[in-house]
Amino acid sequence: MKRALFPGSFDPLTLGHYDIIKRGVTLFDEIVVAIGVNASKKYMFSLEERKKFIEDAFADEPKVKVVTYKGLTVDFCKDIGVKFILRGLRNPADFEFEKAIAHTNRDLAPIETVFLLTAAKTSYIASSIVRDVIRHNGDYTKLVPKSVRLK
Ligand code: ADP
C-alpha cells in the first residue's frame, strides 16, 4: 500500500491544503495528514481544534487519516512505515524552502518527497494570512473548508 505523509501545522487547514490532500488521494492509497507539535510555537487554534477541522473536512474520505507527531518528520515516517512525504508548492519561495528540507530529509532517510503544484485558485492562500484575516474580523470563510469555523 502506497502511503504518503502530509506534514504541517494546519493552523488552520486552508483550501490550499485541502486541494493538495484531495489530489494526493488520487496518487496514493492513503494520505496521513500529520500535525507537527512544536512546544515552542504559539498557535491560534489548539491541537484538538486543528485535528478536528481536518477530520471533519475529510469525514467522507476513508483514505485520509489525521495524526499528530513530535520530532523529526523522517523519524515519524520510519515509525509508521511511510515512504513518501507530500508537500505543496505555491511559489519560488516555497520551492527554495522545500528543496532544502527535502535534500536534508533524503540525507537522513530513504524517503522521497513528492511535490504538487498548488491549484491556481488557491495559490495565494496561506494559514498565516487566514490568521491575520481572523484577527481583524475579516471574512475568512472564503479561504478555508466549511469545517473550519470559529466557536
Ligand atoms: P508549515 O507549518 O510547515 O509552514 P503549513 O501547515 O502551512 O506548513 O503547510 C503544510 C504544507 O501545505 C506545505 O507543503 C505547504 O507548502 C502546503 N501549502 C500551504 N498552503 C498551500 C496552498 N495554498 N497551496 C498549496 N500548498 C499549500
Side-chain angles (χ1 to χ4, degrees):
M1 184 158 100
K2 273 208 164 67
R3 298 156 76 216
L5 193 87
F6 185 51
S9 311
F10 307 104
D11 188 29
L13 178 74
T14 70
L15 288 177
H17 299 131
Y18 185 84
D19 169 69
I20 298 291
I21 298 167
K22 272 277 182 199
R23 287 157 61 207
V25 157
T26 68
L27 300 172
F28 293 94
D29 300 310
E30 184 174 288
I31 300 291
V32 182
V33 182
I35 310 175
V37 179
N38 180 345
S40 63
K41 222 168 147 180
K42 270 262 166 215
Y43 298 102
M44 174 173 272
F45 294 95
S46 71
L47 189 56
E48 292 68 34
E49 287 173 314
R50 284 179 280 147
K51 190 162 183 271
K52 188 153 186 351
F53 290 155
I54 307 169
E55 283 169 348
D56 289 353
F58 293 97
D60 296 332
E61 182 44 84
K63 289 167 83 178
V64 175
K65 300 269 177 305
V66 190
V67 300
T68 63
Y69 74 104
K70 283 190 186 124
L72 285 180
T73 305
V74 286
D75 287 343
F76 183 62
C77 287
K78 279 192 252 172
D79 286 350
I80 64 167
V82 167
K83 295 199 167 56
F84 300 92
I85 292 174
L86 176 65
R87 297 290 282 178
L89 290 178
R90 283 165 288 192
N91 49 43
D94 269 359
F95 174 74
E96 288 302 328
F97 180 71
E98 295 291 342
K99 187 173 75 163
I101 297 178
H103 280 149
T104 308
N105 284 342
R106 279 287 294 280
D107 283 345
L108 297 174
I111 289 169
E112 288 289 355
T113 303
V114 175
F115 298 99
L116 283 181
L117 205 55
T118 175
K121 61 180 187 302
T122 55
S123 63
Y124 64 95
I125 302 177
S127 293
S128 58
I129 295 177
V130 174
R131 292 196 299 274
D132 258 359
V133 172
I134 290 173
R135 268 188 212 105
H136 298 98
N137 301 313
D139 181 9
Y140 65 94
T141 61
K142 292 180 175 65
L143 307 170
V144 296
K146 284 194 175 60
S147 64
V148 179
R149 291 294 180 260
L150 299 176
K151 270 191 247 144

